[in-house]
Amino acid sequence: MRAGALVAVPWANGGGMTRVIADRPGAFRLSLATIADAGPFSLFPGFTRVFALVSGRVDLTGQSGTLDVRSAPVMFSGDEPMAAALPDGTALALNLMVPDGAPPLAMVRHSGDGHRDAVAVFACAPVVVDGTVALDIHDTMVCSGVVRVAGCALVVVR
């Protein structure tokens, strides 16, 4: 999925934009969010959410300290009230939502090793997957199984 092909949809509260990368009903939804204004997240009861910063910094309710592009992804319940403050202005985040009852998924920052049971690879910078697939910044490859990633990426895993 090339980042340039993603369609930006404004949030109902006017605080940002969402670009859906992959939507697999009953399994997961992966999206790229531009957080333009501080404020509450939308509630998604019945979902587990995973949030990872791609650019900028965010102070997230219930988390200690400021999250940035080096921070581990944060997992929380979709019915948990959550809000973001933006100490440096606009931020960009990768969001994973998994419905309750679906096989659990997690998100990890690429560590340089292969990833077993990978579901998606999101390029934080240009990366190469399995030595042959080139992804530009913010491109995503939906996959299944073992992947090897060269470069800075977020990987959704089972």
Side-chain angles (χ1 to χ4, degrees):
M1 192 55 127
R2 298 294 178 190
L6 300 176
V7 177
V9 177
W11 295 351
N13 70 6
M17 304 284 276
T18 295
R19 292 164 181 81
V20 175
I21 296 168
D23 192 1
R24 305 291 188 264
F28 70 93
R29 179 178 185 225
L30 188 64
S31 62
L32 185 60
T34 301
I35 307 168
D37 293 319
F41 284 21
S42 297
L43 294 176
F44 287 96
F47 286 84
T48 296
R49 296 182 68 175
V50 184
F51 173 89
L53 280 179
V54 175
S55 70
R57 296 185 323 138
V58 170
D59 292 329
L60 199 58
T61 302
Q63 302 299 314
S64 59
T66 299
L67 302 175
D68 63 22
V69 298
R70 295 175 307 277
S71 301
V74 176
M75 184 179 289
F76 56 95
S77 172
D79 59 2
E80 179 181 345
M82 193 69 66
L86 304 169
D88 299 329
T90 300
L92 192 61
L94 188 63
N95 286 306
L96 173 64
M97 294 192 293
V98 180
D100 293 347
L105 297 175
M107 189 187 311
V108 296
R109 291 208 181 268
H110 173 61
S111 63
D113 298 328
H115 297 277
R116 294 175 39 145
D117 297 324
V119 174
V121 175
F122 174 86
C124 297
V127 301
V128 176
V129 180
D130 290 337
T132 58
V133 180
L135 300 178
D136 289 326
I137 189 168
H138 302 162
D139 287 351
T140 305
M141 182 176 126
V142 176
C143 51
S144 179
V146 177
V147 295
R148 291 190 357 226
V149 180
C152 182
L154 286 160
V155 182
V156 177
V157 295
R158 291 194 194 284

